[in-house]
Amino acid sequence: MVSSIQKQYDVVVVGGGPAGMAAATTAAECGLKVCIVDDNVGIGGQIWRGETVGSVSDAREWSERLRCAKVDIICGARVFGASDKKSVLAEQAETVYEFGYDKLILATGARERFLPFPGWTLPNVMGAGGLQALAKSGLPIKRKRVVMAGTGPLLLAVAAYLRSHEADVVMICEQASWRSLTWFGIGLLRGRQKLQQALRLRKELSGIPFQANCWPVEARGNEVLEAVVIMQNSKLEAIPCDYLACGFHLAPNTELAQLLGCEVKDDFVCVDEFQQTAVPGIFCAGEPTGIGGLEMSILEGEIAGLAAAEKNSTAHKLFKRKQRMRSFADALNKTFALRPELRSLPSAETIICRCEDVTYSRLGSHASWRAAKLHTRCGMGPCQGRVCGPATQFLFSWSPESVRPPIFPAYLENLSVMFSQSARQHDNQEAGGCA
């Protein structure tokens, strides 16, 4: 039997990463009744997950402020839908929640972008963030040979973490060119904090081979990963390894925002300077509005929290700092833009949709994402296109379709709650019309 719980708040924040923590804390410190809903077992998101939430100064500061602000924290609850009466629906074990709100802040973060290549479905080939999460959860990585491959700063951060836990990081393969990386490095000289972070990472990664213009083309092994073949300067090289941690930058989680009617352009949620979306009363902060790094996410969370509390004059004081960070974010995304050569990674038999075992050759005959879904079921499995969607968007230049509920797989009992609500709302509207 599924129990149903209704809760009402001034502000509901979906997502308990740095942006969500900052938004919830700031709104609660303004005197509002606030709740954070997050699908992980604890708050902090990927970057502050587990042990780091108590050891990193920023994480420690925001965790303490959040605690003192008396924000309600509901973890292990996944938001899967919404109603027409300003509420979102979330399931947690045998409980379905209906969180009513006056203001809603979406801080749903981003996920790793994967590009399929032969062998990418082998055991021990995984996302960089995924390997880090498993290591934080107890996966033994001491003396394990790890190759990092793909693009973006996440590769460096995860490599440093793995090395600090005695993994043998064999190589970091970055697809961006040395020229792009050099210009990006020169830009860091203008920001003291970013420069310090870069120098600290360089020290932590000292001695690990770093190759630009380099990317994986094949993972080899019989039943488990044994080696990865990389392309560097038009030459192939096989590197023995136990794990391949692979990720091609990040893809924003915008499904809930789209379901709620927020405008999305170029894959990101459109917001104004106060983080307000096109839907009145709904704000968005962090990576769904643009990939910009930790500091940018926190700052946007603060602005969203203040705006939700109608403290616009206080929020306005943060705009200048946000503009400086936006310049860094633009440089970040330009530097790590995916090169066209990566579109040739899959072979005809490479699986693109892992949920439904759809190969590259089966997708090539279709002209759109919708047509591919109808004829092959690509994107219709448990991940709901979160892995293959961004991949096919890059490989075939397909535009994503509109989002329909539920945005995550949900139990039938919980879906019945959502549908019964819709039926009641429809009946009320009909009754009002007859009156």
Side-chain angles (χ1 to χ4, degrees):
M1 178 65 68
V2 175
S3 60
S4 180
I5 298 177
Q6 293 181 325
K7 290 178 173 287
Q8 185 68 37
Y9 293 92
D10 297 320
V11 177
V12 170
V13 179
V14 180
M21 292 172 66
T25 299
T26 305
E29 288 176 344
C30 293
L32 300 182
K33 184 181 180 182
V34 181
C35 172
I36 285 182
V37 187
D38 192 89
D39 60 356
N40 290 299
V41 296
I43 59 170
Q46 174 63 25
I47 194 166
W48 285 346
R49 184 195 303 267
E51 61 181 298
T52 59
V53 78
S55 58
V56 177
S57 59
D58 284 345
R60 189 164 54 246
E61 175 190 346
W62 282 105
S63 296
E64 180 61 20
R65 285 180 60 181
L66 185 68
R67 184 187 66 81
C68 293
K70 294 182 169 53
V71 173
D72 283 357
I73 300 174
I74 311 294
C75 289
R78 173 174 285 179
V79 174
F80 65 89
S83 74
D84 295 332
K85 55 178 182 177
K86 297 186 72 172
S87 66
V88 293
L89 303 171
E91 64 176 18
Q92 179 192 60
E94 297 183 354
T95 303
V96 58
Y97 287 94
E98 181 182 0
F99 295 102
Y101 59 83
D102 181 44
K103 305 287 176 59
L104 179 68
I105 300 177
L106 305 177
T108 46
R111 59 190 181 273
E112 293 179 270
R113 183 190 301 272
F114 299 99
L115 295 184
F117 52 88
W120 78 296
T121 58
L122 274 173
N124 292 350
V125 179
M126 59 188 71
L131 180 57
Q132 182 184 40
L134 288 173
K136 289 181 177 182
S137 300
L139 177 72
I141 58 169
K142 186 176 181 179
R143 290 191 291 275
K144 298 293 185 181
R145 300 166 300 173
V146 182
V147 173
M148 313 293 303
T151 197
L154 180 63
L155 294 181
L156 306 181
V158 174
Y161 176 87
L162 297 177
R163 187 186 221 190
S164 71
H165 287 70
E166 301 185 68
D168 177 15
V169 181
V170 179
M171 180 180 290
I172 301 173
C173 305
E174 168 59 60
Q175 63 91 41
S177 68
W178 280 117
R179 180 178 181 180
S180 295
L181 295 172
T182 299
W183 280 111
F184 183 71
I186 292 173
L188 292 179
L189 297 176
R190 304 192 205 103
R192 180 178 178 183
Q193 186 177 19
K194 294 295 183 185
L195 180 60
Q196 289 175 340
Q197 291 174 354
L199 292 175
R200 183 171 64 250
L201 262 180
R202 181 179 179 181
K203 181 179 179 181
E204 292 172 351
L205 299 173
S206 176
I208 298 177
F210 179 93
Q211 303 293 341
N213 294 304
C214 182
W215 56 89
V217 297
E218 182 184 2
R220 292 178 177 174
N222 292 321
E223 297 182 358
V224 69
L225 177 70
E226 297 173 8
V228 56
V229 179
I230 63 168
M231 171 73 76
Q232 183 187 11
N233 298 324
S234 301
K235 295 181 180 179
L236 297 176
E237 178 184 359
I239 303 175
C241 58
D242 301 302
Y243 290 100
L244 171 59
C246 200
F248 292 85
H249 211 19
L250 300 172
N253 296 321
T254 62
E255 291 80 8
L256 181 56
Q258 293 180 70
L259 182 67
L260 292 165
C262 302
E263 182 184 358
V264 174
K265 183 179 180 181
D266 297 330
D267 299 331
F268 296 107
V269 180
C270 300
V271 294
D272 65 14
E273 56 188 0
F274 292 100
Q275 306 301 130
Q276 168 75 57
T277 70
V279 180
I282 299 181
F283 301 81
C284 190
E287 278 135 345
T289 69
I291 308 301
L294 173 61
E295 291 82 6
M296 183 78 168
S297 293
I298 293 174
L299 188 63
E300 288 190 352
E302 289 184 85
I303 293 173
L306 289 168
E310 300 182 356
K311 303 290 185 181
N312 287 5
S313 59
T314 305
H316 193 274
K317 297 176 182 178
L318 302 176
F319 288 175
K320 188 173 182 179
R321 185 152 60 99
K322 177 184 172 181
Q323 185 58 45
R324 290 198 301 269
M325 290 184 179
R326 176 50 59 193
S327 297
F328 168 78
D330 292 342
L332 181 78
N333 292 305
K334 181 179 180 181
T335 299
F336 298 105
L338 301 181
R339 58 172 63 219
E341 295 98 312
L342 299 177
R343 290 193 173 93
S344 63
L345 286 180
S347 66
E349 297 308 311
T350 299
I351 290 176
I352 304 299
C353 176
R354 301 178 66 156
C355 297
E356 299 292 333
D357 289 339
V358 182
T359 61
Y360 182 80
S361 61
R362 291 179 62 195
L363 295 175
S365 61
H366 300 291
S368 69
W369 173 247
R370 176 176 174 79
K373 289 178 70 175
L374 289 173
H375 290 90
T376 70
R377 290 190 55 82
C378 180
M380 297 180 70
C383 88
Q384 295 289 283
R386 284 173 172 79
V387 176
C388 59
T392 56
Q393 190 174 358
F394 174 72
L395 293 173
F396 301 106
S397 300
W398 288 345
S399 299
E401 300 290 329
S402 59
V403 175
R404 293 182 294 178
I407 58 173
F408 285 105
Y411 290 108
L412 288 174
E413 296 92 334
N414 297 340
L415 290 177
S416 68
V417 174
M418 180 173 65
F419 293 137
S420 63
Q421 284 184 348
S422 298
R424 287 197 304 271
Q425 290 163 11
H426 177 75
D427 291 342
N428 291 337
Q429 290 171 358
E430 290 291 325
C434 292

